[in-house]
Amino acid sequence: MKKIGVIGLLWGFCVISSWAQNLVYPTLKDLLAQKGDTVEKLRIEKRSRNQIVLSGGADYRVTVGDNDAMCRVLKKRCFAVSNEKGDLFINCRKLRYRKMRFGNWYAPAVVVGKSVFFSAVPLGSVVGGKFIGDDDVKLGGKVGDALATSSLVSKRVCYELNGETGKIEFVDRNRMLQLLEPHPEWKESYLKEGGQEARHTFKYLLKLSRYK
């Protein structure tokens, strides 16, 4: 019933045309099936470092102009959106990594097979310990408070949301090598870079998402 309500609201703002490319996906199932609702206007804004420090959350704010009703739907009930360029953004509001929240708003994402990969702040000691020094605070609990005193506010890693189980895992070096195994040249290039931060991994995930 919830999905019906969301779709009903979305259709109220839909513009069905051959050229419109802004898409809204109510659920993970819709995204994986590539069944999005077309909207006329979609504003995707990069949030500032200060905004993330003050309130936590992901990197992008998604709105539809001055339409408050649709903005609320996008913020609280939609799973993902894509813009006219085909860039995908996933809503982090309800996502959890080992019971820890990513916070509100949207993160850049790609679909590879039956998984959704996205870039977000490192969470918890298992992930955080790989990227921060002894003087930094590892995230956990109240993300916003931790971010205010942590250099992690400017760091990103990649996560994998399994489309079949709904489970989220950190994309480490071993997982990347597994994904790149069918592409020796990409794998060799990744090994030369060697990093596990999103600036090293996300571009290869993007290549995988576009490979046919």
Side-chain angles (χ1 to χ4, degrees), residues 156-209:
R156 298 292 179 270
V157 294
C158 289
Y159 298 87
E160 178 179 1
L161 169 59
N162 188 302
E164 296 180 337
T165 67
K167 189 175 181 181
I168 293 177
E169 294 290 349
F170 166 57
V171 180
D172 60 10
R173 186 172 180 270
N174 290 334
R175 179 54 176 151
M176 281 302 302
L177 293 177
Q178 181 183 35
L179 290 166
L180 295 172
E181 187 63 35
H183 308 279
E185 292 183 2
W186 296 354
K187 182 178 179 181
E188 182 179 357
S189 177
Y190 171 74
L191 285 171
K192 289 179 180 178
E193 296 183 16
Q196 296 187 101
E197 291 186 49
R199 60 192 177 94
H200 297 298
T201 59
F202 194 80
K203 61 184 177 182
Y204 292 100
L205 293 170
L206 188 58
K207 285 185 176 183
L208 289 168
S209 72

Side-chain angles (χ1 to χ4, degrees), residues 43-75:
R43 182 182 300 166
I44 300 174
E45 302 171 295
K46 184 79 161 61
R47 299 177 69 220
S48 69
R49 186 181 189 280
N50 287 340
Q51 288 174 326
I52 297 174
V53 167
L54 290 173
S55 60
D59 288 329
Y60 291 87
R61 182 172 182 261
V62 179
T63 58
V64 182
D66 297 324
N67 193 317
D68 293 338
M70 186 57 178
C71 287
R72 286 194 294 272
V73 172
L74 288 172
K75 182 178 180 180

Side-chain angles (χ1 to χ4, degrees), residues 24-93:
V24 176
Y25 301 95
T27 68
L28 171 59
K29 182 179 179 180
D30 293 321
L31 173 60
L32 294 177
Q34 290 297 291
K35 294 180 179 179
D37 294 304
T38 306
V39 293
E40 182 180 13
K41 296 180 181 179
L42 199 63
R43 182 182 300 166
I44 300 174
E45 302 171 295
K46 184 79 161 61
R47 299 177 69 220
S48 69
R49 186 181 189 280
N50 287 340
Q51 288 174 326
I52 297 174
V53 167
L54 290 173
S55 60
D59 288 329
Y60 291 87
R61 182 172 182 261
V62 179
T63 58
V64 182
D66 297 324
N67 193 317
D68 293 338
M70 186 57 178
C71 287
R72 286 194 294 272
V73 172
L74 288 172
K75 182 178 180 180
K76 297 182 178 181
R77 303 176 68 179
C78 288
F79 180 78
V81 302
S82 62
N83 62 15
E84 295 176 344
K85 297 178 180 179
D87 301 321
L88 180 67
F89 300 86
I90 185 175
N91 193 343
C92 291
R93 181 181 176 86

